[in-house]
Amino acid sequence: MRDEAAKRVELVFSLFDANGNGVIDSDDFDLMTGRVVEAAAASDDGAKAAIRAAFRRYWTTLVTELDANGDGVITVDEFRPFVLDPELFGPTISEFAEALSTLGDPDGDGLIERPLFVSLMTAIGFEEANIHALFDAFGPDAEDRITVATWAAGIRDYYAPDMAGIPGDHLVAARAA
């Protein structure tokens, strides 16, 4: 695993631990799902249902594949070595990428405006300065929009263990104080 990917893993664990108790559990996914759906107030019910299903699948995959001792929680030691395994998580990540990027396009024009992108990424827990750096790295158009496909591909790349120098690396840059 590349160093950049290892840093992404650590950040993802900290974000998934939404309640801050040091482990990932189903309550964390409920909290994050609620925040993301709330940030997507303008999205239709289908898009909201899709992100709920994607978060649910994500949790189910994590607990099924990584909960080594069967206690219903994922520790950082259980999480770290396996979460970027494309065989285990590829389909889950793809579903999540499609659902989240589609949620960012409530008008269905294939484009995501910066304010909603920032709201959704903030709801997940990323730092605002890093979110803007990521959006800029995606190369927004003159009207400050990126495509749904660009964001979905960026999410998939973020979880690839062999990727470096990708837009998603901006999310693990030094956090704003």
Side-chain angles (χ1 to χ4, degrees), residues 69-152:
N69 61 3
D71 63 357
V73 300
I74 308 298
T75 66
V76 71
D77 291 333
E78 290 171 321
F79 186 80
R80 193 178 288 127
F82 299 107
V83 74
L84 296 184
D85 184 331
E87 284 186 37
L88 294 177
F89 291 99
T92 299
I93 297 304
S94 287
E95 178 183 345
F96 179 75
E98 294 303 319
L100 184 60
S101 59
T102 299
L103 195 67
D105 180 23
D107 60 7
D109 66 356
L111 298 167
I112 299 165
E113 290 79 17
R114 185 184 298 258
L116 183 52
F117 180 87
V118 171
S119 292
L120 292 170
M121 294 293 281
T122 300
I124 292 171
F126 292 102
E127 297 289 330
E128 188 168 345
N130 296 357
I131 296 167
H132 285 286
L134 171 63
F135 194 86
D136 291 340
F138 283 147
D141 67 13
E143 295 179 40
D144 210 25
R145 304 170 303 184
I146 60 170
T147 67
V148 169
T150 296
W151 193 14

Side-chain angles (χ1 to χ4, degrees), residues 2-16:
R2 297 186 64 106
D3 184 53
E4 295 88 341
K7 289 177 183 175
R8 294 190 304 260
V9 167
E10 297 299 321
L11 178 59
V12 168
F13 185 88
S14 72
L15 297 175
F16 281 168

